[in-house]
Amino acid sequence: MSEDAAYVDKGKEFKRDTNYITTRITRDGADGYPVEPGRYRLIAARACPWANRTIIVRRLLGLEDAISLGMPGPTHDQRSWTFDLDPDGKDPVLGIERLQQAYFARDPEYPRGITVPAIVDVPTGKVVTNDFAQITLDFESEWVDYHRDGAPDLYPQALREEIDAVNKRVFTEVNNGVYRAGFAGSQEAYDAAYDRLFTALDWLEERLSKQRFLVGDTITEADVRLFTTLARFDPVYHGHFKCNRQKLDEFDALWGYARDLFQTPGFGDTVDFEQIKQHYYIVHKDVNPTQIVPKGPDLANWLTPHGREALGGKPFGDGTPPGPVPQNERVTPGHGAG
């Protein structure tokens, strides 16, 4: 089961299970898992917005050589994400067919959903953590010795209080808000979710009409967390989740902001629109019983000029963009924009 593979509960409001394996990988190894390059494998499906965050942050910080990446395919059954895109249907490092196997190696009676992202301890084959919010924060603060030269500070100490406040509202009202609408079990629950979502999007539109990035004048953790929802809005959430007051490209500031990030190395080059659509429209059978995947929308507009430079700020501050995407981690040709 994926982080977002919830099911419509008739008459009920969607509630996300937020109980995760909260073991952390830290410099002091307090939880038994010290920072150690080459020891851990990030399992992150491109289709999942929560996993997409970790792929973006890993790339922005240049942690590719320190933490390897395994990518399940976009669809899965009730049991688990599977490595169906890999030769012989097995992760080439862990040697497993299902992510479930790594969870059961940690706890043979693991009772919750098998979610991505997850970090696996390669020597033991056990999941260390699936706490998606903490994973990126730890990439930023615990893995600093292995950041690339010119890596941005995505969680600057002076801005953390504001970043945390923005992240809280964005998670509650936008990241999770689209699911609240999509999995609403009654008209009343849907109407309330729809209103909450667009109230928050209007707040973001106003905020981003005056500043290039969500917090400060460079990209931060807050931008990463909002971006992965925006990237999925027109291809999925507008239609599939009935979040259809307007499309993302009908906002002014939000649409410019989303394109600005998409065209920044580390963001758009991690997005696979085809896998995104396959995941939502095939896996969510309660919402889309036919499992038909729409051909549209045309996504070439993600590459059009955004004009956000006029607001000032620099994506990487005094740092530099990440280099080219490693060959074995590039999005399949034709699955991105354009």
Side-chain angles (χ1 to χ4, degrees):
M1 182 179 292
S2 73
E3 172 61 31
D4 58 322
Y7 295 90
V8 175
D9 190 353
K10 193 68 175 176
K12 301 291 186 180
E13 177 185 344
F14 169 67
K15 302 285 188 183
R16 182 175 298 281
D17 183 353
T18 55
N19 292 295
Y20 301 104
I21 300 173
T22 57
T23 306
R24 293 177 61 194
I25 300 168
T26 56
R27 281 177 286 184
D28 63 9
D31 289 352
Y33 292 98
V35 166
E36 185 180 324
R39 176 172 172 175
Y40 305 101
R41 187 158 176 82
L42 170 65
I43 305 300
R46 291 194 188 276
C48 172
W50 322 98
N52 195 177
R53 296 177 180 183
T54 61
I55 298 173
I56 292 171
V57 170
R58 172 179 173 271
R59 174 151 161 66
L60 292 176
L61 299 178
L63 290 172
E64 292 97 334
D65 291 338
I67 305 167
S68 67
L69 176 64
M71 290 181 284
T75 61
H76 57 77
D77 57 23
Q78 290 276 11
R79 290 170 57 194
S80 176
W81 292 90
T82 56
F83 296 97
D84 49 292
L85 301 180
D86 291 309
D88 302 319
K90 292 184 178 181
D91 180 87
V93 172
L94 300 175
I96 58 177
E97 299 172 346
R98 293 176 172 274
L99 180 55
Q100 184 185 54
Q101 292 166 263
Y103 276 81
F104 286 174
R106 168 76 182 252
D107 178 359
E109 298 183 1
Y110 185 73
R112 318 199 80 86
I114 306 301
T115 66
V116 290
I119 296 183
V120 179
D121 179 41
V122 175
T124 63
K126 298 178 180 180
V127 166
V128 178
T129 180
N130 65 343
D131 188 353
F132 67 89
Q134 191 62 49
I135 287 172
T136 52
L137 295 179
D138 284 344
F139 281 177
E140 292 152 9
S141 60
E142 300 296 327
W143 288 81
V144 289
D145 292 341
Y146 301 97
H147 290 183
R148 65 179 177 85
D149 291 339
D153 185 353
L154 298 175
Y155 197 47
Q157 190 71 46
L159 296 176
R160 287 186 182 183
E161 185 175 349
E162 185 177 0
I163 291 172
D164 290 346
V166 169
N167 283 347
K168 182 177 181 180
R169 185 169 183 183
V170 167
F171 171 77
T172 304
E173 304 303 310
V174 181
N175 301 146
N176 200 45
V178 292
Y179 289 92
R180 194 182 296 111
F183 289 114
S186 69
Q187 188 69 50
E188 182 181 24
Y190 164 75
D191 288 349
Y194 176 102
D195 290 343
R196 284 180 63 178
L197 170 64
F198 282 98
T199 295
L201 290 176
D202 288 341
W203 164 68
L204 287 165
E205 173 74 5
E206 174 67 18
R207 184 181 183 97
L208 290 166
S209 68
K210 303 169 184 175
Q211 59 194 68
R212 188 172 178 185
F213 304 107
L214 274 179
V215 181
D217 58 3
T218 64
I219 54 173
T220 67
E221 172 79 14
D223 299 299
V224 175
R225 294 191 182 197
L226 177 58
F227 172 78
T228 57
T229 294
L230 297 183
R232 288 156 177 77
F233 200 89
D234 287 359
V236 175
Y237 302 145
H238 179 271
H240 183 59
F241 280 174
K242 307 179 186 69
C243 301
N244 60 357
R245 192 190 77 180
Q246 66 202 94
K247 294 165 60 183
L248 177 64
D249 68 11
E250 294 168 347
F251 285 91
D252 184 14
L254 266 174
W255 175 229
Y257 165 82
R259 281 177 291 154
D260 188 4
L261 291 178
F262 187 88
Q263 294 168 32
T264 298
F267 285 85
D269 53 28
T270 72
V271 175
D272 188 315
F273 286 118
E274 196 61 32
Q275 286 197 25
I276 288 168
K277 291 195 297 183
Q278 289 172 353
H279 173 69
Y280 284 90
Y281 285 101
I282 293 173
V283 171
H284 297 164
K285 290 185 283 188
D286 278 18
V287 178
N288 185 40
T290 65
Q291 298 179 283
I292 293 171
V293 180
K295 292 182 70 173
D298 182 354
L299 299 164
N301 56 358
W302 279 94
L303 300 178
T304 57
H306 52 75
R308 297 284 292 178
E309 300 93 343
L311 291 171
K314 296 167 60 180
F316 298 99
D318 294 329
T320 58
V325 180
Q327 181 67 39
N328 64 343
E329 295 183 11
R330 294 178 183 174
V331 172
T332 302
H335 286 201

